[in-house]
Amino acid sequence: MPQHVKKGDVVLVTAGNHRGSTGEILEVDLKSNRVIVKGVNVRKRRVRPTQAQPKGSIIEKELSIHISNVSPMAGGKATRVRFVTRADGAKVRVAARDGSELHVLRKSSGGKSAGKR
């Protein structure tokens, strides 16, 4: 099943502790239906001392949130997504709010074999 968000999309977090914040999707995990959003759900993690870093350190890292808790942005507002097949055979993600094209999933199949489906 196609997902409503993709790596590189700017999304709005719609639920959870970070509701209302926006960020870019860094990674999508389709097996567990989770996404990592830049600047959202940032946690601190202690790293043990090693030979390379004898003192150890504390790093900040974005953790994943569920994919259902984010919505893509179109025109500065959150929107739902529709999947539309254009007349030339291209499949695109379209914002339900204003009809703007978000991403082309499958290019048009121009050429002689376009009618043989």
Side-chain angles (χ1 to χ4, degrees):
M1 180 174 147
Q3 298 295 328
H4 66 287
V5 292
K6 181 176 169 48
K7 179 180 176 179
D9 283 354
V10 176
V11 294
L12 174 75
V13 179
T14 57
N17 292 337
H18 301 279
R19 177 181 30 216
S21 58
T22 60
E24 180 184 347
I25 292 188
L26 300 175
E27 187 178 332
V28 178
D29 184 10
L30 295 178
K31 286 188 177 183
S32 60
N33 287 327
R34 297 183 78 79
V35 294
I36 296 177
V37 182
K38 186 174 186 177
V40 175
N41 201 18
V42 178
R43 301 287 187 237
K44 289 189 177 188
R45 181 166 187 261
R46 280 101 181 140
V47 179
R48 298 188 79 143
T50 61
Q51 287 184 348
Q53 285 186 323
K55 291 185 73 173
S57 63
I58 298 174
I59 60 170
E60 290 189 351
K61 184 178 182 182
E62 290 101 353
L63 297 181
S64 64
I65 58 176
H66 199 267
I67 199 166
S68 65
N69 293 336
V70 296
S71 293
M73 302 274 287
K77 295 184 179 180
T79 182
R80 294 184 312 271
V81 174
R82 294 193 176 114
F83 296 92
V84 176
T85 304
R86 291 189 286 191
D88 63 354
K91 186 175 182 181
V92 295
R93 285 189 313 145
V94 176
R97 177 177 292 279
D98 59 1
S100 63
E101 222 176 80
L102 298 174
H103 180 257
V104 177
L105 295 170
R106 183 179 63 223
K107 304 231 186 236
S108 62
S109 60
K112 297 178 182 178
S113 63
K116 295 183 180 181
R117 284 196 168 183

